[in-house]
Amino acid sequence: MEEELGGQGNWGLEDAPGLLAMASLPIMPTWPLPLVSSAFTLLLGALTSLFLWYCYYLGSQDLQALAAGSRAGGVSGGPGGCSEVGRPSPGSSGEAGKGPRTEGLVSRRLRAYARRYSWAGMGRVRRAAQGGLGPGGGPGVLGIQRPGLLFLPNLPSVPFVPRDAQRHDVELLESSFPAILRDFGAVSWDFSGTTPLPRGWSPPLAPGCYQLLLYQAGRCQPNNCRRCPGAYRALRGLRSFMSANSFGNAGFSVLLPGARLEGRCGPTNARVRCHLGLKIPLGCELVVGGEPQCWAEGHCLLVDDSFLHTVAHNGSPEDGPRVVFIVDLWHPNVAGAERQALDFVFAPDP
């Protein structure tokens, strides 16, 4: 039986030296050590180069996609973004987000943030990055809240946010009303459209709609800030200004008589847009989520512009333009950890 299983018959102690000698024989031919070392070094170098190229490719794709999302409107669309600029926000047609590409981009940036810091407190942001739906299985509330780029779930949703939600910033802006109005007088012009645009003013993105930005998509505009010291000083004193985020804008918005911006939605419900009335003629109207409201000179309105909204100046040419100073603030129910993460994910373009 042992002959059949092992094929070697009976082994004794006298056979041990021979067996040890056989076990010590090399299975494969021995390669010269310098050759093996060189081959391993080349392989390691090739793998390292491939890994670095892949990291560079992913990073460049992230930056290009974020820049494209910012330029598409609503993110870097200035203080009007959606409510005061004629260029629609991404997804303003009613679909939340920009599809798998943007969702994947946001998820990658969020994972990079979590590796550097922590996932603590990131539940809502994580669901938003994965394209989480709004109440009722669809984006927003009853179809009238349709943020185009980022929907943060479980935020209290009302078209007009109570003043007390941002009491400090509202009171600071209202106390700065005289200084901000003086700044507007220093940079204002006739808005006739027959003369070249003065320095600092953006080309009209809709007929009769002009803007001068102090912050655009989270980036300070130094020349305009120097020309408007009172407004810039007020911005520096705000506690919840989105000054380091692509969703954050601040500046003067001018709407000429007869101009109208039809219904559209902003890019995210994570912000609240603060309107400080500077010059408000009769016939001006703001409708957000089906609720009409009007500005008042020297007073602030807090607007969730992720709701469908319309802006109109129905006054006569003799009434002059409607002028408001607009600042993007954090939604009061976005926690500090969530703000830090969203600042990382939606950092301004370099």
Side-chain angles (χ1 to χ4, degrees):
M1 183 64 67
E2 289 182 6
E3 294 283 349
E4 297 176 1
L5 292 176
Q8 296 296 330
N10 295 323
W11 289 335
L13 291 176
E14 64 276 7
D15 300 315
L19 293 174
L20 290 176
M22 292 174 61
S24 64
L25 292 176
I27 298 175
M28 297 180 62
T30 304
W31 294 91
L33 185 60
L35 181 60
V36 173
S37 177
S38 299
F40 179 76
T41 302
L42 289 175
L43 178 61
L44 183 61
L47 291 175
T48 302
S49 300
L50 182 61
F51 174 75
L52 292 176
W53 174 86
Y54 181 69
C55 292
Y56 170 79
Y57 173 77
L58 287 182
S60 62
Q61 292 293 101
D62 284 358
L63 292 176
Q64 291 171 10
L66 277 180
S70 297
R71 289 190 295 269
V75 176
S76 62
C82 189
S83 62
E84 301 297 325
V85 172
R87 182 181 299 166
S89 302
S92 61
S93 61
E95 297 183 7
K98 293 184 68 180
R101 177 180 176 84
T102 297
E103 291 174 8
L105 165 65
V106 174
S107 296
R108 289 199 302 271
R109 298 294 299 270
L110 186 59
R111 285 196 297 270
Y113 171 85
R115 286 194 297 270
R116 182 176 299 184
Y117 301 102
S118 169
W119 280 113
M122 294 295 104
R124 289 193 302 192
V125 178
R126 197 170 188 175
R127 293 200 300 275
Q130 294 169 352
L133 298 177
V141 180
L142 301 178
I144 60 174
Q145 186 187 24
R146 303 194 300 267
L149 193 59
L150 179 79
F151 181 83
L152 198 62
N154 301 327
L155 281 182
S157 298
V158 289
F160 293 98
V161 180
R163 292 164 48 92
D164 289 345
Q166 296 288 8
R167 177 185 294 272
H168 174 272
D169 289 354
V170 165
E171 291 180 348
L172 190 151
L173 286 169
E174 291 180 348
S175 66
S176 303
F177 167 72
I180 296 175
L181 184 60
R182 283 195 301 271
D183 286 345
F184 175 75
V187 298
S188 182
W189 55 298
D190 61 6
F191 302 106
S192 63
T194 59
T195 58
L197 281 173
R199 179 167 56 95
W201 286 88
S202 303
L205 299 178
C209 181
Y210 296 89
Q211 58 184 351
L212 184 140
L213 305 176
L214 277 67
Y215 277 79
Q216 182 175 16
R219 299 185 65 187
C220 178
Q221 308 298 304
N223 292 332
N224 290 345
C225 289
R226 281 193 290 267
R227 299 172 65 199
C228 303
Y232 178 68
R233 191 177 305 113
L235 292 175
R236 297 291 293 175
L238 299 177
R239 293 177 179 173
S240 54
F241 175 37
M242 301 178 79
S243 59
N245 193 296
S246 293
F247 293 130
N249 308 278
F252 299 99
S253 174
V254 176
L255 200 66
L256 300 184
R260 181 179 182 87
L261 300 175
E262 295 295 342
R264 60 198 71 221
C265 297
T268 180
N269 65 330
R271 77 181 184 188
V272 171
R273 184 150 277 190
C274 182
H275 293 208
L276 173 64
L278 299 181
K279 294 185 177 183
I280 311 299
L282 295 175
C284 296
E285 187 178 47
L286 171 64
V287 181
V288 182
E291 299 182 18
Q293 193 54 273
C294 188
W295 303 272
E297 294 180 0
H299 295 277
C300 289
L301 274 179
L302 294 180
V303 179
D304 185 342
D305 75 328
S306 67
F307 282 85
L308 189 69
H309 56 274
T310 301
V311 183
H313 186 346
N314 301 317
S316 64
E318 293 76 20
D319 293 331
R322 182 235 58 180
V323 183
V324 294
F325 185 70
I326 299 180
V327 185
D328 288 326
L329 309 176
W330 283 105
H331 190 291
N333 292 92
V334 178
E338 295 173 323
R339 297 181 185 186
Q340 181 176 334
L342 291 174
D343 278 344
F344 181 90
V345 173
F346 295 100
D349 294 341

